[in-house]
Amino acid sequence: MTVVVTGGAGFIGSNFVLNWLSQNEECVVNLDKLTYAGNRESLAEVHTDERYTFVRADIGDISAVSALLDKYQPRALINFAAESHVDRSIDSPADFVETNVVGTFRLLETTRLFWQSLPADRKAEFRFLHISTDEVYGSLDASASAFRETNQYQPNSPYAASKAASDHFVRAYYHTYGLPVLTTNCSNNYGPYQFPEKLIPLCIYNAINGRPLPVYGDGQQVRDWLYVRDHCSAIMHVLQQGVVGETYNIGGQCEMTNLEVLKLLCAILDELAPRSDGRGYADQITFVKDRPGHDRRYAVDTSKIEMALDWKPEETFESGLRKTVQWYLQNQIWVANVVSGEYQGWVGKQYG
Ligand code: NAD
Ligand code: TYD
């Protein structure tokens, strides 16, 4: 038995592949284009594992994906591949349309043709699991109820709009062709192997390198934070027990303002890697220009997955953040490798 993972060289995908191979005998084929966000080094510990195969390809490349499905005959495909950074989607939205919308559509179409050729028993067992985001639901007022699966889609950034479009295609392939799909909409993840353009790894990297910790606007925007390994366990639950055609919200039940996140991060860094001048890392917090169209608040109601699939996150934000900081402190070579080259250009453009 084999599963195909797309985008498995990225942050969540690599954690998922490592998690999978530590818990299952089943083989994993990782199809990844290796954009700036993809890094094979994140999977170094499984490179020689005979259950693991890496294929460099674009999810939108119909002949490459079709050949891969024919060769490996997977029982499921889990689609992590995407352009995933909101600020980059504001800077260059076309890449987001190309991969998240057109790429996902082509992946669905290629998978549908493969799935339709399967014998009835394998057809019934097959799953297409699409990994999406809570950002498709838009922004909440301070007192509004958390996002439920039934909320209207109101995406505000080009990233969120492209993910919303992909979710709609996934839904349409179930309703029109009967492709056995599942969709998950998750809140902000953090943990090992996250590219240091996102808030938490960016600020760990900047902190220990004596750089400013940039807070957009007033820093009062609220996000729900989920430790990446808890997300991986939720995906396993959905893959194994999710009802075909359904969507599941996933979150950490942990709403924090960005400023609260950074203050806790600085306190952990003060303890684990104190500054040589005796001052606290919070001194490096710097308010910068706000993100255009910045969503004020995301919050996720996870009662459906908790009740239907008996899943709950294990980490608190404090315990997950501590593990994350420890990982980045111990893996500075990984960080040094990913921040060379293109990354410097992005940081210069975004932060001046
Ligand atoms: P990431 O940017 O770290 O990784 C994306 C991976 O996809 C990279 O390995 C990249 O090389 C690959 N990729 C990009 N375009 C591709 C293409 N056309 N064909 C094949 N591979 C391609 O992203 P992530 O943070 O790991 O997110 C994974 C998924 O989870 C995304 O779909 C994202 O929308 C979703 N998600 C992320 C978060 C989060 O907080 N990071 C939260 C909710 C949902
Ligand atoms: P990010 O990690 O980019 O995730 P998302 O935009 O998908 O939620 O950002 C998390 C929050 O942190 C978001 O409100 C934007 C904010 N932020 C900053 O204040 N400064 C930064 O340098 C970055 C990258 C993000």
Side-chain angles (χ1 to χ4, degrees):
M1 300 274 267
T2 298
V3 296
V4 168
V5 162
T6 70
F11 163 47
I12 304 174
S14 59
N15 276 283
F16 183 83
V17 170
L18 294 174
N19 217 34
W20 180 278
L21 291 172
S22 69
Q23 291 176 8
N24 287 281
E25 285 310 308
E26 210 174 337
C27 299
V28 182
V29 178
N30 175 13
L31 178 149
D32 197 296
K33 184 180 173 182
L34 296 182
T35 66
Y36 78 92
N39 184 358
R40 290 194 69 189
E41 251 185 78
S42 306
L43 292 154
E45 69 186 77
V46 296
H47 277 170
T48 55
D49 189 320
E50 58 192 21
R51 296 166 301 160
Y52 174 70
T53 306
F54 178 78
V55 176
R56 185 170 192 178
D58 190 315
I59 54 167
D61 181 339
I62 291 171
S63 63
V65 176
S66 175
L68 180 142
L69 295 176
D70 283 345
K71 180 169 178 189
Y72 294 102
Q73 296 288 314
R75 69 163 178 105
L77 184 149
I78 307 160
N79 182 32
F80 293 94
E83 290 293 338
S84 71
H85 187 34
V86 173
D87 293 316
R88 288 192 193 241
S89 84
I90 294 167
D91 185 60
S92 38
D95 295 343
F96 287 70
V97 175
E98 196 49 48
T99 282
N100 300 0
V101 186
V102 180
T104 305
F105 156 69
R106 290 201 178 124
L107 182 67
L108 280 163
E109 184 60 4
T110 315
T111 307
R112 174 176 78 87
L113 295 175
F114 165 74
W115 170 74
Q116 284 176 332
S117 72
L118 294 175
D121 55 337
R122 286 192 47 214
K123 220 171 153 184
E125 278 170 17
F126 188 82
R127 296 288 181 271
F128 183 104
L129 201 173
H130 178 62
I131 308 301
S132 191
T133 166
D134 61 353
E135 303 191 25
V136 297
Y137 298 119
S139 183
L140 292 168
D141 292 336
S143 59
S145 303
F147 301 132
R148 303 195 64 164
E149 288 80 358
T150 47
N151 273 44
Q152 195 185 344
Y153 271 33
Q154 293 185 324
N156 290 323
S157 69
Y159 164 66
S162 68
K163 291 297 289 185
S166 70
D167 294 7
H168 290 324
F169 271 105
V170 171
R171 178 187 161 89
Y173 267 66
Y174 169 65
H175 283 272
T176 307
Y177 305 108
L179 184 69
V181 306
L182 297 153
T183 298
T184 56
N185 295 90
C186 188
S187 61
N188 285 57
N189 283 220
Y190 65 99
Y193 302 111
Q194 186 168 31
F195 194 75
E197 64 186 353
K198 305 278 171 73
L199 181 70
I200 289 176
L202 174 89
C203 287
I204 298 172
Y205 175 70
N206 281 7
I208 58 181
N209 287 290
R211 297 181 187 176
L213 312 184
V215 176
Y216 295 161
D218 61 5
Q220 294 306 311
Q221 301 82 8
V222 173
R223 298 290 182 264
D224 175 86
W225 292 95
L226 179 69
Y227 189 64
V228 64
R229 290 292 172 111
D230 278 331
H231 186 191
C232 294
S233 91
I235 294 168
M236 296 284 251
H237 278 67
V238 174
L239 184 64
Q240 279 154 8
Q241 309 160 46
V243 175
V244 166
E246 293 284 315
T247 68
Y248 296 90
N249 283 351
I250 305 171
Q253 291 171 345
C254 167
E255 283 185 59
M256 312 263 293
T257 66
N258 293 336
L259 212 47
E260 285 169 340
V261 168
L262 289 194
K263 285 189 175 155
L264 182 57
L265 179 64
C266 289
I268 294 173
L269 278 165
D270 287 340
E271 190 191 320
L272 299 182
R275 270 173 51 159
S276 54
D277 62 4
R279 301 176 73 118
Y281 285 102
D283 281 4
Q284 288 165 238
I285 292 177
T286 308
F287 290 89
V288 300
K289 186 163 64 74
D290 207 354
R291 170 188 282 173
H294 197 171
D295 282 342
R296 198 69 182 163
R297 174 174 168 242
Y298 303 141
V300 184
D301 182 333
T302 55
S303 46
K304 179 173 173 180
I305 189 170
E306 284 182 27
M307 287 197 287
L309 307 184
D310 195 24
W311 172 85
K312 263 215 292 252
E314 280 180 10
E315 300 290 345
T316 63
F317 188 62
E318 218 276 338
S319 67
L321 192 59
R322 185 171 287 273
K323 284 185 180 173
T324 305
V325 172
Q326 276 162 341
W327 188 87
Y328 279 92
L329 293 175
Q330 285 160 6
N331 289 274
Q332 292 189 40
I333 294 174
W334 181 92
V335 178
N337 288 340
V338 299
V339 299
S340 58
E342 192 272 352
Y343 180 79
Q344 300 302 336
W346 165 254
V347 169
K349 192 170 178 187
Q350 177 70 1
Y351 300 98

